[in-house]
Amino acid sequence: MLWAVSIAIIGGTGDEGFGLALRLSRAGEEVVIGSRSEERGQAAADRAREILGLGSGSGGRGEISGAANQEAAAGCDVVFVTVPYAGQAEIYRSIKQSFRPGALVCDTTTPLATAVGGRPWEVLRPWAGSASEQAKALLPSGLRLVAGFHTVSAEQLQDVERPVEGDVLLCGADASAKAEVGALIEMIPNLRWVDAGSLSMARIVEPLTALMVSINRNYRISDAGVAITGRKEWGQAPTRAAET
Amino acid sequence: MLWAVSIAIIGGTGDEGFGLALRLSRAGEEVVIGSRSEERGQAAADRAREILGLGSGSGGRGEISGAANQEAAAGCDVVFVTVPYAGQAEIYRSIKQSFRPGALVCDTTTPLATAVGGRPWEVLRPWAGSASEQAKALLPSGLRLVAGFHTVSAEQLQDVERPVEGDVLLCGADASAKAEVGALIEMIPNLRWVDAGSLSMARIVEPLTALMVSINRNYRISDAGVAITGRKEWGQAPTRAAET
């Protein structure tokens, strides 16, 4: 059963993860919503199916199911990890033995200061440099890690009838991994992706979540995002493509 | 003579400052290009006049002159400081006695790692939090400080026939100071500004220069920029405006 599943969303009961689950299912991908509890994962999947008007049966493209995080990670080749920074290390430790060899992991964590009681427009400086570099330090070797989605609001993702404004900035060492995540991004209407460089660039990109919070607060809006200007098409970087 | 001057560009012989001088002169503002040496400031002003096709005479709107940094700062109510991070503290110490009371200072410094022999897509973490907070610590009280222009490429600014793509993210404690700098920004064709929040948000905004360098490098381009999505108009923030 799990062999058919393609994309796991660890922490998929949270706003960002749930929005991603909706968008990727709508794009025709099979999605497993992972949660610490299997029941909560399944409840979120039920809710997603209702929002998308999907039947509760199995087998179709775009199917959404729920599972415990470990089971979700074990069943998928692509794993999005969408958890708050306070729980990120614990979640990675709990699932790191479950990943398939060569799995593609996309981490969306931002080290917001809310993890320690601070404000959501402030960030912490992780010892590893960024939350995604912390994830890399916790993951077994052989997995392919990409960081992204820090500037795409959960509200926009969940508002499935509206196209998504803005670009996803992807960071990572592996150009083909970025292109694979990029291909999923391009299945979401209007959404583009930009190769922001190496994983360490997440030190700059992750804090943009806090910048979006600050701008949302200043303008009393909820869906500030980032678009990169200067080029018509923003897919795979030509120089990196040449390297692979 | 100097009383008529409105905008000083400290470090205006550098690429970013020179581009700003061209754009602000073209918008009809009077600009003084400051340099450590008066002669180099004047030579840059001559070059700017030639690019813009201005006469060498005085008195017209849009006039560009050159001066030593101290003299430029003393003669203007608005002072842009566009210097490399390695020289930023020294420059502020050299001009801090020269500012007019209540002067508006716009700092464009990014703490690129090139200051210590590193790469231009890497940044340092200033002890004060950001380069602009370092500037604040060095300035006399009573000056109004705004940080901005970190994501607008020098190439774009200097290419005066082309409209500038992207938004200037302004950080600072003083909403009216941001709006004043914003009004200058809006005189540059197509350029918009966004209130990014307090001066400490420069910790997030300044490193975007390095992100632009990384993206330029990945895509073999030279004018990557940032635009904020989610709102049609991006002038003065409504909540901050209500405070003033």
Side-chain angles (χ1 to χ4, degrees):
Chain A
M1 171 64 192
L2 281 175
W3 294 101
V5 158
S6 51
I7 301 171
I9 317 268
I10 306 301
T13 57
D15 284 341
E16 185 83 6
F18 189 71
L20 258 178
L22 292 176
R23 292 288 187 168
L24 292 170
S25 166
R26 200 163 218 235
E29 300 297 321
E30 294 184 40
V31 174
V32 182
I33 294 181
S35 171
R36 290 182 203 220
S37 101
E38 184 181 344
E39 290 70 31
R40 285 179 43 220
Q42 288 173 345
D46 289 344
R47 188 158 60 95
R49 273 196 297 270
E50 197 175 321
I51 291 169
L52 296 171
L54 297 175
S56 61
S58 64
R61 262 177 74 80
E63 184 187 354
I64 302 191
S65 57
N69 282 329
Q70 291 86 343
E71 194 188 1
C76 299
D77 291 317
V78 179
V79 181
F80 285 85
V81 180
T82 62
V83 299
Y85 182 55
Q88 189 208 18
E90 186 194 334
I91 292 275
Y92 272 101
R93 288 192 193 100
S94 75
I95 61 175
K96 71 179 182 181
Q97 304 302 334
S98 305
F99 288 106
R100 293 183 175 180
L104 173 55
V105 179
C106 181
D107 185 274
T108 72
T109 312
T110 286
L112 292 181
T114 48
V116 295
R119 306 290 202 159
W121 56 89
E122 300 170 349
V123 289
L124 303 173
R125 295 288 176 206
W127 191 254
S130 60
S132 63
E133 288 167 288
Q134 170 169 292
K136 179 156 186 65
L138 293 167
L139 284 171
S141 62
L143 299 187
R144 297 176 302 145
L145 182 61
V146 172
F149 280 96
H150 312 94
T151 58
V152 180
S153 76
E155 284 210 17
Q156 274 207 80
L157 287 175
Q158 291 191 43
D159 190 0
V160 289
E161 301 298 333
R162 273 180 60 203
V164 183
E165 265 195 296
D167 298 338
V168 178
L169 300 166
L170 295 183
C171 309
D174 183 329
S176 63
K178 285 184 276 195
E180 283 177 52
V181 174
L184 293 175
I185 289 165
E186 287 173 354
M187 300 177 74
I188 299 174
N190 204 45
L191 199 59
R192 308 184 309 172
W193 68 282
V194 176
D195 185 340
S198 66
L199 197 64
S200 60
M201 295 306 291
R203 298 169 193 183
I204 297 174
V205 173
E206 288 173 1
L208 293 178
T209 308
L211 180 64
M212 297 304 106
V213 171
S214 177
I215 291 174
N216 281 336
R217 182 171 166 253
N218 288 344
Y219 291 90
R220 299 187 193 276
I221 59 173
S222 60
D223 56 356
V226 166
I228 302 296
T229 61
R231 192 162 174 263
K232 286 283 170 285
E233 300 286 333
W234 283 105
Q236 191 168 9
T239 57
R240 300 303 172 100
E243 283 166 18
T244 57
Chain B
M1 170 67 192
L2 280 174
W3 294 102
V5 159
S6 53
I7 301 170
I9 317 268
I10 306 300
T13 56
D15 284 341
E16 184 83 7
F18 189 71
L20 257 178
L22 292 177
R23 291 289 186 165
L24 291 170
S25 167
R26 196 160 222 237
E29 300 297 322
E30 294 184 43
V31 174
V32 183
I33 295 182
S35 171
R36 289 180 204 222
S37 102
E38 184 181 345
E39 290 69 30
R40 285 179 44 222
Q42 288 173 346
D46 289 343
R47 188 159 60 93
R49 274 195 297 268
E50 197 174 321
I51 291 170
L52 295 172
L54 297 175
S56 61
S58 63
R61 264 177 74 80
E63 184 187 354
I64 303 191
S65 58
N69 282 330
Q70 290 85 343
E71 194 188 2
C76 298
D77 292 315
V78 178
V79 181
F80 285 84
V81 180
T82 63
V83 298
Y85 182 55
Q88 189 209 18
E90 186 194 334
I91 292 276
Y92 272 101
R93 287 193 196 100
S94 76
I95 61 174
K96 69 178 181 180
Q97 304 301 335
S98 306
F99 288 106
R100 293 185 175 179
L104 173 55
V105 179
C106 181
D107 186 273
T108 72
T109 314
T110 287
L112 293 181
T114 48
V116 295
R119 306 289 202 159
W121 56 89
E122 299 169 350
V123 289
L124 303 173
R125 296 287 175 206
W127 190 254
S130 61
S132 64
E133 289 166 289
Q134 171 169 291
K136 178 154 188 66
L138 293 168
L139 283 172
S141 62
L143 299 187
R144 297 175 303 144
L145 181 61
V146 171
F149 281 96
H150 312 93
T151 59
V152 181
S153 77
E155 286 211 17
Q156 275 208 79
L157 286 176
Q158 291 190 45
D159 190 359
V160 290
E161 301 297 334
R162 272 180 61 202
V164 183
E165 266 195 296
D167 298 336
V168 178
L169 300 167
L170 295 183
C171 309
D174 184 328
S176 62
K178 285 184 277 195
E180 282 177 51
V181 175
L184 293 174
I185 289 165
E186 286 172 356
M187 300 177 74
I188 299 175
N190 204 44
L191 199 59
R192 307 184 311 169
W193 68 282
V194 176
D195 184 340
S198 66
L199 197 64
S200 59
M201 295 306 291
R203 299 169 191 183
I204 298 174
V205 173
E206 288 173 1
L208 294 178
T209 308
L211 179 65
M212 297 303 105
V213 171
S214 178
I215 291 173
N216 281 336
R217 183 171 167 252
N218 287 344
Y219 291 90
R220 299 185 194 279
I221 60 174
S222 59
D223 57 355
V226 165
I228 302 296
T229 60
R231 192 160 174 265
K232 287 285 169 283
E233 300 286 335
W234 283 104
Q236 191 169 6
T239 58
R240 298 305 172 100
E243 282 166 19
T244 57

mmCIF file with all atom_site columns, all heavy atoms in Angstrom, chain A residues 217-218 220, chain B residues 172-176 178 195 236-244:
data_model
loop_
_atom_site.group_PDB
_atom_site.id
_atom_site.type_symbol
_atom_site.label_atom_id
_atom_site.label_alt_id
_atom_site.label_comp_id
_atom_site.label_asym_id
_atom_site.label_entity_id
_atom_site.label_seq_id
_atom_site.pdbx_PDB_ins_code
_atom_site.Cartn_x
_atom_site.Cartn_y
_atom_site.Cartn_z
_atom_site.occupancy
_atom_site.B_iso_or_equiv
_atom_site.pdbx_formal_charge
_atom_site.auth_seq_id
_atom_site.auth_comp_id
_atom_site.auth_asym_id
_atom_site.auth_atom_id
_atom_site.pdbx_PDB_model_num
ATOM 1   N N   . ARG A 1 217 ? 2.687  42.556 9.310  1.00 0.00 ? 217 ARG A N   1
ATOM 2   C CA  . ARG A 1 217 ? 2.268  43.320 10.482 1.00 0.00 ? 217 ARG A CA  1
ATOM 3   C C   . ARG A 1 217 ? 2.196  44.810 10.139 1.00 0.00 ? 217 ARG A C   1
ATOM 4   O O   . ARG A 1 217 ? 1.232  45.491 10.482 1.00 0.00 ? 217 ARG A O   1
ATOM 5   C CB  . ARG A 1 217 ? 3.320  43.073 11.570 1.00 0.00 ? 217 ARG A CB  1
ATOM 6   C CG  . ARG A 1 217 ? 3.059  43.728 12.882 1.00 0.00 ? 217 ARG A CG  1
ATOM 7   C CD  . ARG A 1 217 ? 4.061  43.196 13.901 1.00 0.00 ? 217 ARG A CD  1
ATOM 8   N NE  . ARG A 1 217 ? 4.071  44.019 15.084 1.00 0.00 ? 217 ARG A NE  1
ATOM 9   C CZ  . ARG A 1 217 ? 5.036  44.849 15.420 1.00 0.00 ? 217 ARG A CZ  1
ATOM 10  N NH1 . ARG A 1 217 ? 6.121  44.969 14.659 1.00 0.00 ? 217 ARG A NH1 1
ATOM 11  N NH2 . ARG A 1 217 ? 4.952  45.560 16.519 1.00 0.00 ? 217 ARG A NH2 1
ATOM 12  N N   . ASN A 1 218 ? 3.197  45.319 9.421  1.00 0.00 ? 218 ASN A N   1
ATOM 13  C CA  . ASN A 1 218 ? 3.207  46.736 9.075  1.00 0.00 ? 218 ASN A CA  1
ATOM 14  C C   . ASN A 1 218 ? 2.031  47.127 8.198  1.00 0.00 ? 218 ASN A C   1
ATOM 15  O O   . ASN A 1 218 ? 1.500  48.229 8.316  1.00 0.00 ? 218 ASN A O   1
ATOM 16  C CB  . ASN A 1 218 ? 4.502  47.109 8.343  1.00 0.00 ? 218 ASN A CB  1
ATOM 17  C CG  . ASN A 1 218 ? 5.697  47.119 9.258  1.00 0.00 ? 218 ASN A CG  1
ATOM 18  O OD1 . ASN A 1 218 ? 5.547  47.149 10.478 1.00 0.00 ? 218 ASN A OD1 1
ATOM 19  N ND2 . ASN A 1 218 ? 6.886  47.065 8.681  1.00 0.00 ? 218 ASN A ND2 1
ATOM 20  N N   . ARG A 1 220 ? -0.787 45.253 7.735  1.00 0.00 ? 220 ARG A N   1
ATOM 21  C CA  . ARG A 1 220 ? -2.038 44.569 8.128  1.00 0.00 ? 220 ARG A CA  1
ATOM 22  C C   . ARG A 1 220 ? -2.535 43.644 7.029  1.00 0.00 ? 220 ARG A C   1
ATOM 23  O O   . ARG A 1 220 ? -3.715 43.697 6.636  1.00 0.00 ? 220 ARG A O   1
ATOM 24  C CB  . ARG A 1 220 ? -3.125 45.591 8.486  1.00 0.00 ? 220 ARG A CB  1
ATOM 25  C CG  . ARG A 1 220 ? -2.783 46.499 9.649  1.00 0.00 ? 220 ARG A CG  1
ATOM 26  C CD  . ARG A 1 220 ? -4.002 47.352 10.019 1.00 0.00 ? 220 ARG A CD  1
ATOM 27  N NE  . ARG A 1 220 ? -3.675 48.445 10.917 1.00 0.00 ? 220 ARG A NE  1
ATOM 28  C CZ  . ARG A 1 220 ? -3.589 48.333 12.248 1.00 0.00 ? 220 ARG A CZ  1
ATOM 29  N NH1 . ARG A 1 220 ? -3.779 47.172 12.824 1.00 0.00 ? 220 ARG A NH1 1
ATOM 30  N NH2 . ARG A 1 220 ? -3.294 49.393 13.000 1.00 0.00 ? 220 ARG A NH2 1
ATOM 31  N N   . GLY B 1 172 ? 13.941 50.868 9.918  1.00 0.00 ? 172 GLY B N   1
ATOM 32  C CA  . GLY B 1 172 ? 14.269 51.987 10.789 1.00 0.00 ? 172 GLY B CA  1
ATOM 33  C C   . GLY B 1 172 ? 13.193 52.209 11.828 1.00 0.00 ? 172 GLY B C   1
ATOM 34  O O   . GLY B 1 172 ? 12.049 51.754 11.667 1.00 0.00 ? 172 GLY B O   1
ATOM 35  N N   . ALA B 1 173 ? 13.560 52.924 12.869 1.00 0.00 ? 173 ALA B N   1
ATOM 36  C CA  . ALA B 1 173 ? 12.626 53.163 13.966 1.00 0.00 ? 173 ALA B CA  1
ATOM 37  C C   . ALA B 1 173 ? 11.635 54.267 13.635 1.00 0.00 ? 173 ALA B C   1
ATOM 38  O O   . ALA B 1 173 ? 10.547 54.321 14.204 1.00 0.00 ? 173 ALA B O   1
ATOM 39  C CB  . ALA B 1 173 ? 13.402 53.531 15.230 1.00 0.00 ? 173 ALA B CB  1
ATOM 40  N N   . ASP B 1 174 ? 12.020 55.172 12.728 1.00 0.00 ? 174 ASP B N   1
ATOM 41  C CA  . ASP B 1 174 ? 11.283 56.411 12.501 1.00 0.00 ? 174 ASP B CA  1
ATOM 42  C C   . ASP B 1 174 ? 10.467 56.295 11.210 1.00 0.00 ? 174 ASP B C   1
ATOM 43  O O   . ASP B 1 174 ? 11.010 56.298 10.111 1.00 0.00 ? 174 ASP B O   1
ATOM 44  C CB  . ASP B 1 174 ? 12.308 57.556 12.402 1.00 0.00 ? 174 ASP B CB  1
ATOM 45  C CG  . ASP B 1 174 ? 11.654 58.918 12.273 1.00 0.00 ? 174 ASP B CG  1
ATOM 46  O OD1 . ASP B 1 174 ? 10.562 59.016 11.682 1.00 0.00 ? 174 ASP B OD1 1
ATOM 47  O OD2 . ASP B 1 174 ? 12.263 59.897 12.757 1.00 0.00 ? 174 ASP B OD2 1
ATOM 48  N N   . ALA B 1 175 ? 9.148  56.180 11.382 1.00 0.00 ? 175 ALA B N   1
ATOM 49  C CA  . ALA B 1 175 ? 8.288  55.954 10.215 1.00 0.00 ? 175 ALA B CA  1
ATOM 50  C C   . ALA B 1 175 ? 8.344  57.118 9.232  1.00 0.00 ? 175 ALA B C   1
ATOM 51  O O   . ALA B 1 175 ? 8.348  56.912 8.019  1.00 0.00 ? 175 ALA B O   1
ATOM 52  C CB  . ALA B 1 175 ? 6.846  55.717 10.665 1.00 0.00 ? 175 ALA B CB  1
ATOM 53  N N   . SER B 1 176 ? 8.427  58.346 9.745  1.00 0.00 ? 176 SER B N   1
ATOM 54  C CA  . SER B 1 176 ? 8.430  59.479 8.821  1.00 0.00 ? 176 SER B CA  1
ATOM 55  C C   . SER B 1 176 ? 9.765  59.540 8.077  1.00 0.00 ? 176 SER B C   1
ATOM 56  O O   . SER B 1 176 ? 9.816  59.961 6.919  1.00 0.00 ? 176 SER B O   1
ATOM 57  C CB  . SER B 1 176 ? 8.144  60.791 9.551  1.00 0.00 ? 176 SER B CB  1
ATOM 58  O OG  . SER B 1 176 ? 9.138  61.059 10.497 1.00 0.00 ? 176 SER B OG  1
ATOM 59  N N   . LYS B 1 178 ? 11.451 56.894 7.139  1.00 0.00 ? 178 LYS B N   1
ATOM 60  C CA  . LYS B 1 178 ? 11.301 55.912 6.059  1.00 0.00 ? 178 LYS B CA  1
ATOM 61  C C   . LYS B 1 178 ? 10.460 56.492 4.928  1.00 0.00 ? 178 LYS B C   1
ATOM 62  O O   . LYS B 1 178 ? 10.768 56.306 3.748  1.00 0.00 ? 178 LYS B O   1
ATOM 63  C CB  . LYS B 1 178 ? 10.669 54.625 6.605  1.00 0.00 ? 178 LYS B CB  1
ATOM 64  C CG  . LYS B 1 178 ? 11.639 53.783 7.417  1.00 0.00 ? 178 LYS B CG  1
ATOM 65  C CD  . LYS B 1 178 ? 11.027 52.458 7.877  1.00 0.00 ? 178 LYS B CD  1
ATOM 66  C CE  . LYS B 1 178 ? 10.204 52.646 9.130  1.00 0.00 ? 178 LYS B CE  1
ATOM 67  N NZ  . LYS B 1 178 ? 9.896  51.346 9.805  1.00 0.00 ? 178 LYS B NZ  1
ATOM 68  N N   . ASP B 1 195 ? 8.071  49.191 3.736  1.00 0.00 ? 195 ASP B N   1
ATOM 69  C CA  . ASP B 1 195 ? 8.469  49.342 5.137  1.00 0.00 ? 195 ASP B CA  1
ATOM 70  C C   . ASP B 1 195 ? 8.697  47.949 5.718  1.00 0.00 ? 195 ASP B C   1
ATOM 71  O O   . ASP B 1 195 ? 7.765  47.198 5.954  1.00 0.00 ? 195 ASP B O   1
ATOM 72  C CB  . ASP B 1 195 ? 7.362  50.073 5.900  1.00 0.00 ? 195 ASP B CB  1
ATOM 73  C CG  . ASP B 1 195 ? 7.744  50.344 7.349  1.00 0.00 ? 195 ASP B CG  1
ATOM 74  O OD1 . ASP B 1 195 ? 8.654  49.674 7.872  1.00 0.00 ? 195 ASP B OD1 1
ATOM 75  O OD2 . ASP B 1 195 ? 7.119  51.231 7.960  1.00 0.00 ? 195 ASP B OD2 1
ATOM 76  N N   . GLN B 1 236 ? 4.076  53.804 2.215  1.00 0.00 ? 236 GLN B N   1
ATOM 77  C CA  . GLN B 1 236 ? 4.148  53.866 3.661  1.00 0.00 ? 236 GLN B CA  1
ATOM 78  C C   . GLN B 1 236 ? 3.169  52.885 4.306  1.00 0.00 ? 236 GLN B C   1
ATOM 79  O O   . GLN B 1 236 ? 2.027  52.781 3.909  1.00 0.00 ? 236 GLN B O   1
ATOM 80  C CB  . GLN B 1 236 ? 3.820  55.301 4.115  1.00 0.00 ? 236 GLN B CB  1
ATOM 81  C CG  . GLN B 1 236 ? 4.135  55.535 5.569  1.00 0.00 ? 236 GLN B CG  1
ATOM 82  C CD  . GLN B 1 236 ? 4.048  56.997 5.915  1.00 0.00 ? 236 GLN B CD  1
ATOM 83  O OE1 . GLN B 1 236 ? 3.642  57.818 5.089  1.00 0.00 ? 236 GLN B OE1 1
ATOM 84  N NE2 . GLN B 1 236 ? 4.424  57.336 7.127  1.00 0.00 ? 236 GLN B NE2 1
ATOM 85  N N   . ALA B 1 237 ? 3.649  52.205 5.317  1.00 0.00 ? 237 ALA B N   1
ATOM 86  C CA  . ALA B 1 237 ? 2.818  51.208 5.979  1.00 0.00 ? 237 ALA B CA  1
ATOM 87  C C   . ALA B 1 237 ? 1.663  51.900 6.707  1.00 0.00 ? 237 ALA B C   1
ATOM 88  O O   . ALA B 1 237 ? 1.875  52.872 7.409  1.00 0.00 ? 237 ALA B O   1
ATOM 89  C CB  . ALA B 1 237 ? 3.663  50.426 6.973  1.00 0.00 ? 237 ALA B CB  1
ATOM 90  N N   . PRO B 1 238 ? 0.454  51.396 6.546  1.00 0.00 ? 238 PRO B N   1
ATOM 91  C CA  . PRO B 1 238 ? -0.694 52.055 7.164  1.00 0.00 ? 238 PRO B CA  1
ATOM 92  C C   . PRO B 1 238 ? -0.610 52.101 8.688  1.00 0.00 ? 238 PRO B C   1
ATOM 93  O O   . PRO B 1 238 ? -0.951 53.104 9.297  1.00 0.00 ? 238 PRO B O   1
ATOM 94  C CB  . PRO B 1 238 ? -1.894 51.211 6.687  1.00 0.00 ? 238 PRO B CB  1
ATOM 95  C CG  . PRO B 1 238 ? -1.330 49.949 6.137  1.00 0.00 ? 238 PRO B CG  1
ATOM 96  C CD  . PRO B 1 238 ? 0.069  50.239 5.730  1.00 0.00 ? 238 PRO B CD  1
ATOM 97  N N   . THR B 1 239 ? -0.113 51.051 9.306  1.00 0.00 ? 239 THR B N   1
ATOM 98  C CA  . THR B 1 239 ? -0.078 51.043 10.772 1.00 0.00 ? 239 THR B CA  1
ATOM 99  C C   . THR B 1 239 ? 0.941  52.034 11.275 1.00 0.00 ? 239 THR B C   1
ATOM 100 O O   . THR B 1 239 ? 0.694  52.767 12.225 1.00 0.00 ? 239 THR B O   1
ATOM 101 C CB  . THR B 1 239 ? 0.269  49.657 11.315 1.00 0.00 ? 239 THR B CB  1
ATOM 102 O OG1 . THR B 1 239 ? 1.537  49.257 10.771 1.00 0.00 ? 239 THR B OG1 1
ATOM 103 C CG2 . THR B 1 239 ? -0.773 48.653 10.923 1.00 0.00 ? 239 THR B CG2 1
ATOM 104 N N   . ARG B 1 240 ? 2.108  52.080 10.639 1.00 0.00 ? 240 ARG B N   1
ATOM 105 C CA  . ARG B 1 240 ? 3.132  53.029 11.062 1.00 0.00 ? 240 ARG B CA  1
ATOM 106 C C   . ARG B 1 240 ? 2.699  54.457 10.762 1.00 0.00 ? 240 ARG B C   1
ATOM 107 O O   . ARG B 1 240 ? 2.938  55.359 11.536 1.00 0.00 ? 240 ARG B O   1
ATOM 108 C CB  . ARG B 1 240 ? 4.459  52.740 10.363 1.00 0.00 ? 240 ARG B CB  1
ATOM 109 C CG  . ARG B 1 240 ? 5.021  51.376 10.678 1.00 0.00 ? 240 ARG B CG  1
ATOM 110 C CD  . ARG B 1 240 ? 5.149  51.194 12.173 1.00 0.00 ? 240 ARG B CD  1
ATOM 111 N NE  . ARG B 1 240 ? 5.513  49.823 12.500 1.00 0.00 ? 240 ARG B NE  1
ATOM 112 C CZ  . ARG B 1 240 ? 6.738  49.442 12.785 1.00 0.00 ? 240 ARG B CZ  1
ATOM 113 N NH1 . ARG B 1 240 ? 7.706  50.326 12.807 1.00 0.00 ? 240 ARG B NH1 1
ATOM 114 N NH2 . ARG B 1 240 ? 6.991  48.199 13.079 1.00 0.00 ? 240 ARG B NH2 1
ATOM 115 N N   . ALA B 1 241 ? 2.016  54.630 9.632  1.00 0.00 ? 241 ALA B N   1
ATOM 116 C CA  . ALA B 1 241 ? 1.558  55.966 9.277  1.00 0.00 ? 241 ALA B CA  1
ATOM 117 C C   . ALA B 1 241 ? 0.613  56.484 10.365 1.00 0.00 ? 241 ALA B C   1
ATOM 118 O O   . ALA B 1 241 ? 0.646  57.645 10.729 1.00 0.00 ? 241 ALA B O   1
ATOM 119 C CB  . ALA B 1 241 ? 0.838  55.947 7.939  1.00 0.00 ? 241 ALA B CB  1
ATOM 120 N N   . ALA B 1 242 ? -0.206 55.592 10.878 1.00 0.00 ? 242 ALA B N   1
ATOM 121 C CA  . ALA B 1 242 ? -1.178 56.007 11.905 1.00 0.00 ? 242 ALA B CA  1
ATOM 122 C C   . ALA B 1 242 ? -0.467 56.433 13.185 1.00 0.00 ? 242 ALA B C   1
ATOM 123 O O   . ALA B 1 242 ? -0.980 57.244 13.948 1.00 0.00 ? 242 ALA B O   1
ATOM 124 C CB  . ALA B 1 242 ? -2.136 54.857 12.189 1.00 0.00 ? 242 ALA B CB  1
ATOM 125 N N   . GLU B 1 243 ? 0.723  55.898 13.405 1.00 0.00 ? 243 GLU B N   1
ATOM 126 C CA  . GLU B 1 243 ? 1.463  56.212 14.633 1.00 0.00 ? 243 GLU B CA  1
ATOM 127 C C   . GLU B 1 243 ? 2.069  57.621 14.609 1.00 0.00 ? 243 GLU B C   1
ATOM 128 O O   . GLU B 1 243 ? 2.304  58.213 15.646 1.00 0.00 ? 243 GLU B O   1
ATOM 129 C CB  . GLU B 1 243 ? 2.609  55.219 14.838 1.00 0.00 ? 243 GLU B CB  1
ATOM 130 C CG  . GLU B 1 243 ? 2.154  53.881 15.388 1.00 0.00 ? 243 GLU B CG  1
ATOM 131 C CD  . GLU B 1 243 ? 3.249  52.832 15.242 1.00 0.00 ? 243 GLU B CD  1
ATOM 132 O OE1 . GLU B 1 243 ? 4.424  53.201 15.060 1.00 0.00 ? 243 GLU B OE1 1
ATOM 133 O OE2 . GLU B 1 243 ? 2.917  51.644 15.299 1.00 0.00 ? 243 GLU B OE2 1
ATOM 134 N N   . THR B 1 244 ? 2.362  58.106 13.391 1.00 0.00 ? 244 THR B N   1
ATOM 135 C CA  . THR B 1 244 ? 3.110  59.356 13.322 1.00 0.00 ? 244 THR B CA  1
ATOM 136 C C   . THR B 1 244 ? 2.200  60.576 13.402 1.00 0.00 ? 244 THR B C   1
ATOM 137 O O   . THR B 1 244 ? 1.005  60.464 13.201 1.00 0.00 ? 244 THR B O   1
ATOM 138 C CB  . THR B 1 244 ? 3.917  59.439 12.012 1.00 0.00 ? 244 THR B CB  1
ATOM 139 O OG1 . THR B 1 244 ? 3.029  59.312 10.912 1.00 0.00 ? 244 THR B OG1 1
ATOM 140 C CG2 . THR B 1 244 ? 4.953  58.349 11.983 1.00 0.00 ? 244 THR B CG2 1
#
